[in-house]
Amino acid sequence: MFEIPRAVLSEHFQERMKGRRLRSAVFLTFQFDPGFFEQEVLPVLIDASLSHAAVIRLVHLEDVLKTLPGQIAVYYDANGLVSGDAGSAKLDMRRIPVQHRTGIFHPKNAFLLVEAEEADDDGNRPQTLIVASLSANLTRSGWWENVEACHVEEISDGDKTRLKEDLASFLETLRRRAPADGEHLALREILAFLRRAEPRLRRSSSGQLHTHFYAGPESVIDFLDRTAGHLLHETYLEILSPYFDDAAECRPLQALIERFRPKGVRVFLPRSSAGEALCRRELYQAVSALPGVHWGRLPRDVVQLGRSEDAGERFVHAKVYRFFTQAPKREVYFLGSANLTLPGYQGQNLETGFLVEVIPPRRPDFWLTIDQRTPADFQVHTEGEAAARSGGTRLNLRYHWDRSVAQAFWDGPGTSPELRIEARGIEVARLSSLPSRTWTLLPPEPTQRIAGFLKETSLFFVYGDGEGPALLLVQEEGMAAKPSLLLQLSAADILRYWALLTPAQRAAFVEARAPAMALTGTGADLVARKLSTIVRHRRRAFSVAPRRSMFGWTTGNGSWRGVPR
């Protein structure tokens, strides 16, 4: 069995950030846990010394984000909100829901525009765009619990790249998918960088395929054939996919076999913790009956939860299509968000991925061993279940802190039904007959109530759009005018925050804040209404997570990485 390389995703991104600072970032995800993203993902990219205490860490991050030259934005499926233990969103960034009409908004990407920390002799800071295509959502399970996969590419100022047109076209369509009249500052800055790059027209160089980016609208199979068909025919094929169609056969697998005629195929069989196969019995049998096709399993040490013999296994959420030959030695990967399902393959979902070729150091072989354990039971587990459980809403709310204005946007055909909005179990507002896809100014009373609850939480519930309550993340604009998180700290937390500062930072803190004391009692002299930059940057961001192993490979400027085991 061919060895599977492994690494730690967060550490890999930290390595990429060494000697660089973040300017702007755009993230795309299906499922989105805004609190987890702020507490555990964002610190990986921010070069700052952060506290172990969550509330103080957020105050530090709030301060550091004020020095960011650009903006951070997350585009997520409107049905994919997750309310985790870390709470709601609190920091100054754009959070933009997307309604994908024909299926799921399913991409998982990171676009990080970075610049050198130190200026060159001419006073310039060279910029680089780091682009990642992942299988991991911006959730706790995606970053800490599942087995995931990711590929990273870098584009430097003035580079000639095959990715320019594909990435720019995709980001332009992304802007049009969001509710109208929204801010897309991070997107615009990244697009401006891409326009400076030179296009590379040839698909390969010296016989090796250049990396290609997929984002539809053509089917995945047509994309693979168009970009690399001459390399993919009559190879060995290995597939990792956590989800299949609720059907009696696997039509995407059949289409791959008919198109590329592989010499042999192994398909990962996802199982529950109880050993059930996560597909229909009929589909399992149909795949088993295909000539040259076997169900497979990953090595125990890749999926194992711990080191003990009785440790359970992690859920494999990676989506990888690996074509390889042994003579000549060659591996071509397609990896990203697309499951082995009809919506994932035919363009109903919005999917993304990288197609990458590598020359392995030795003759490649299958990662998967043949899974000869016939499942005792079967449980259908589809990619759309997460969206159905999340109960998203077609309502958008945004509040402008700098203007004390609230607006509603009904992202559906016709006028909206009567909608009741709650937060913390208390009614916030009732809205009815909102026009289709137009921002509507809300009256003063619900506007004030929305502002009041936003000081505690940005996650509201909507009743009337579907059978049950739907989770809604309020979009916040003009965050510089929002009361600082520092004002919400307890006296004990204020003192703890004070203790983290250097003498120079304490002096700057007092000088900036003494005229605006906001609390009484212990720690009152440490509090102010607004926070300016006082946290000195360090190389490594704090993480409360232990080290977790992953799997992946590295080649050139690109690297393929698995998310923590």
Side-chain angles (χ1 to χ4, degrees):
M1 184 180 61
F2 196 65
E3 182 181 357
I4 304 174
R6 309 168 205 186
V8 179
L9 184 66
S10 57
E11 290 186 358
H12 176 72
F13 275 108
Q14 286 175 327
E15 286 298 315
R16 295 267 181 176
M17 296 299 295
K18 277 189 175 180
R20 296 161 164 174
R21 64 184 187 185
L22 187 67
R23 283 193 58 88
S24 285
V26 169
F27 293 87
L28 283 68
T29 184
F30 167 46
Q31 288 189 301
F32 179 41
D33 183 340
F36 179 85
F37 173 76
E38 292 184 354
Q39 291 274 6
E40 308 300 344
V41 179
L42 188 58
V44 171
L45 310 174
I46 301 297
D47 187 17
S49 174
L50 302 175
S51 168
H52 290 250
V55 292
I56 298 177
R57 183 158 68 250
L58 282 175
V59 173
H60 281 169
L61 287 168
E62 178 187 52
D63 200 42
V64 172
L65 287 180
K66 291 181 179 179
T67 70
L68 202 69
Q71 193 180 79
I72 297 174
V74 179
Y75 296 76
Y76 64 95
D77 191 287
N79 291 317
L81 271 179
V82 177
S83 180
D85 296 336
S88 69
K90 297 183 182 298
L91 298 177
D92 186 4
M93 61 185 70
R94 303 285 77 74
R95 294 167 282 268
I96 303 168
V98 178
Q99 294 274 2
H100 187 56
R101 315 287 179 214
T102 62
I104 298 172
F105 180 76
H106 204 239
K108 299 140 179 58
N109 298 97
F111 297 84
L112 312 176
L113 184 59
V114 300
E115 64 184 10
E117 286 185 343
E118 303 296 334
D120 59 21
D121 293 340
D122 296 326
N124 300 318
R125 299 179 186 270
Q127 295 183 358
T128 301
L129 180 63
I130 301 172
V131 186
S133 186
L134 308 90
S135 64
N137 290 299
L138 292 176
T139 62
R140 181 185 180 90
S141 60
W143 279 70
W144 282 9
E145 297 169 4
N146 297 338
V147 176
E148 304 276 6
C150 169
H151 177 79
V152 180
E153 291 282 334
E154 290 194 7
I155 303 172
S156 297
D157 258 328
D159 272 358
K160 184 178 290 187
T161 174
R162 184 67 180 74
L163 296 172
K164 171 181 176 173
E165 298 301 330
D166 290 342
L167 293 176
S169 175
F170 173 64
L171 292 177
E172 285 284 5
T173 61
L174 176 64
R175 181 166 55 182
R176 293 193 293 269
R177 291 178 184 276
D181 190 32
E183 281 191 353
H184 301 277
L185 298 181
L187 208 59
R188 288 206 296 267
E189 187 173 15
I190 291 170
L191 279 167
F193 174 87
L194 280 171
R195 292 188 184 105
R196 297 199 299 269
E198 293 186 43
R200 187 189 295 273
L201 302 180
R202 297 183 62 183
R203 297 180 183 176
S204 61
S205 176
S206 302
Q208 185 169 355
L209 186 74
H210 293 305
T211 300
H212 288 65
F213 180 74
Y214 169 79
E218 65 184 325
S219 71
V220 171
I221 293 177
D222 287 344
F223 164 79
L224 294 176
D225 202 6
R226 175 177 61 81
T227 54
H230 63 293
L231 299 177
L232 306 183
H233 287 273
E234 298 184 355
T235 64
Y236 294 99
L237 172 60
E238 190 161 41
I239 300 173
L240 301 180
S241 172
Y243 300 113
F244 301 91
D245 292 311
D246 184 6
E249 57 185 359
C250 188
R251 288 172 56 190
L253 176 60
Q254 293 171 354
L256 281 168
I257 293 172
E258 290 171 5
R259 184 74 64 96
F260 300 114
R261 305 291 179 186
K263 298 176 182 179
V265 181
R266 293 186 188 178
V267 181
F268 174 74
L269 178 62
R271 292 177 182 262
S272 69
S273 57
E276 302 165 311
L278 299 179
C279 64
R280 276 179 62 171
R281 183 186 300 272
E282 296 88 346
L283 186 143
Y284 172 85
Q285 294 170 342
V287 170
S288 300
L290 292 171
V293 179
H294 298 278
W295 288 105
R297 56 189 174 88
L298 284 167
R300 169 73 170 160
D301 64 323
V302 172
V303 298
Q304 196 170 3
L305 276 167
R307 295 184 179 180
S308 63
E309 289 296 325
D310 60 347
E313 295 186 353
R314 299 186 185 277
F315 182 63
V316 178
H317 194 251
K319 303 144 182 35
V320 183
Y321 305 83
R322 178 175 177 249
F323 301 81
F324 67 90
T325 58
Q326 296 179 323
K329 297 181 295 183
R330 170 174 281 153
E331 294 178 87
V332 178
Y333 298 83
F334 176 66
L335 57 141
S337 66
N339 289 297
L340 195 59
T341 63
L342 287 175
Y345 262 65
Q346 292 183 341
Q348 291 170 259
N349 294 346
L350 180 59
E351 309 279 4
T352 59
F354 276 129
L355 180 66
V356 186
E357 181 187 1
V358 297
I359 307 301
R362 58 188 180 88
R363 286 205 324 165
D365 204 343
F366 284 105
W367 289 343
L368 299 172
T369 56
I370 296 175
D371 192 341
Q372 298 176 330
R373 302 171 296 159
T374 302
D377 206 352
F378 297 83
Q379 178 186 5
V380 178
H381 191 41
T382 64
E383 64 185 352
E385 287 179 355
R389 286 196 304 269
S390 69
T393 176
R394 291 168 289 177
L395 177 67
N396 290 265
L397 278 184
R398 69 182 181 190
Y399 182 79
H400 299 262
W401 287 99
D402 52 346
R403 295 189 285 133
S404 300
V405 166
Q407 296 171 298
F409 183 95
W410 176 245
D411 198 358
T415 58
S416 72
E418 183 176 10
L419 304 171
R420 188 175 86 256
I421 304 169
E422 290 187 1
R424 307 275 185 175
I426 302 172
E427 183 173 306
V428 179
R430 285 181 181 263
L431 307 175
S432 62
S433 300
L434 293 171
S436 177
R437 301 187 176 105
T438 301
W439 285 106
T440 301
L441 191 68
L442 297 186
E445 184 176 350
T447 295
Q448 292 171 7
R449 293 177 66 82
I450 289 170
F453 279 104
L454 282 175
K455 295 174 184 177
E456 304 174 30
T457 181
S458 56
L459 287 172
F460 289 16
F461 283 97
V462 178
Y463 294 82
D465 184 15
E467 295 181 1
L471 198 58
L472 168 68
L473 180 61
V474 180
Q475 302 170 46
E476 299 179 71
E477 309 285 350
M479 290 279 281
K482 184 178 181 179
S484 171
L485 294 174
L486 184 64
L487 302 181
Q488 301 176 27
L489 296 182
S490 67
D493 283 336
I494 292 171
L495 290 175
R496 193 184 311 173
Y497 176 76
W498 176 259
L500 294 172
L501 305 181
T502 66
Q505 290 169 344
R506 291 177 183 176
F509 182 93
V510 171
E511 181 179 357
R513 294 158 181 77
M517 296 177 186
L519 293 183
T520 58
T522 305
D525 56 331
L526 309 183
V527 181
R529 297 190 181 278
K530 290 190 179 179
L531 195 62
S532 61
T533 305
I534 56 174
V535 181
R536 184 175 182 179
H537 290 196
R538 293 195 318 187
R539 273 226 188 275
R540 201 157 179 88
F542 168 79
S543 173
V544 299
R547 292 172 62 89
R548 291 170 169 82
S549 61
M550 308 152 53
F551 70 96
W553 52 257
T554 303
T555 174
N557 284 337
S559 68
W560 185 78
R561 284 289 184 270
V563 174
R565 278 202 309 116

mmCIF file of all heavy atoms in Angstrom, residues 403 408 440 491 505:
data_model
loop_
_atom_site.group_PDB
_atom_site.id
_atom_site.type_symbol
_atom_site.label_atom_id
_atom_site.label_comp_id
_atom_site.label_asym_id
_atom_site.label_seq_id
_atom_site.Cartn_x
_atom_site.Cartn_y
_atom_site.Cartn_z
ATOM 1 N N ARG A 403 -24.793 54.247 11.133
ATOM 2 C CA ARG A 403 -25.974 55.041 10.788
ATOM 3 C C ARG A 403 -27.200 54.675 11.606
ATOM 4 O O ARG A 403 -28.259 55.281 11.431
ATOM 5 C CB ARG A 403 -26.287 54.870 9.296
ATOM 6 C CG ARG A 403 -25.213 55.414 8.372
ATOM 7 C CD ARG A 403 -25.678 55.426 6.919
ATOM 8 N NE ARG A 403 -25.700 54.100 6.312
ATOM 9 C CZ ARG A 403 -26.688 53.602 5.614
ATOM 10 N NH1 ARG A 403 -27.796 54.327 5.446
ATOM 11 N NH2 ARG A 403 -26.625 52.413 5.079
ATOM 12 N N ALA A 408 -33.965 44.855 5.745
ATOM 13 C CA ALA A 408 -34.343 43.465 5.501
ATOM 14 C C ALA A 408 -34.350 43.212 3.999
ATOM 15 O O ALA A 408 -34.676 44.100 3.198
ATOM 16 C CB ALA A 408 -35.711 43.168 6.092
ATOM 17 N N THR A 440 -35.091 46.662 2.294
ATOM 18 C CA THR A 440 -36.178 47.483 2.822
ATOM 19 C C THR A 440 -35.780 48.058 4.177
ATOM 20 O O THR A 440 -35.356 47.312 5.074
ATOM 21 C CB THR A 440 -37.460 46.640 2.990
ATOM 22 O OG1 THR A 440 -37.822 46.096 1.720
ATOM 23 C CG2 THR A 440 -38.602 47.489 3.525
ATOM 24 N N ALA A 491 -14.861 42.626 35.459
ATOM 25 C CA ALA A 491 -13.710 43.274 36.095
ATOM 26 C C ALA A 491 -12.517 42.325 36.148
ATOM 27 O O ALA A 491 -11.367 42.726 35.907
ATOM 28 C CB ALA A 491 -14.102 43.729 37.498
ATOM 29 N N GLN A 505 2.618 49.021 26.180
ATOM 30 C CA GLN A 505 1.234 48.866 25.752
ATOM 31 C C GLN A 505 0.269 49.404 26.798
ATOM 32 O O GLN A 505 -0.758 49.991 26.473
ATOM 33 C CB GLN A 505 0.937 47.394 25.462
ATOM 34 C CG GLN A 505 1.641 46.880 24.212
ATOM 35 C CD GLN A 505 1.562 45.371 24.097
ATOM 36 O OE1 GLN A 505 1.254 44.681 25.065
ATOM 37 N NE2 GLN A 505 1.868 44.853 22.918
#
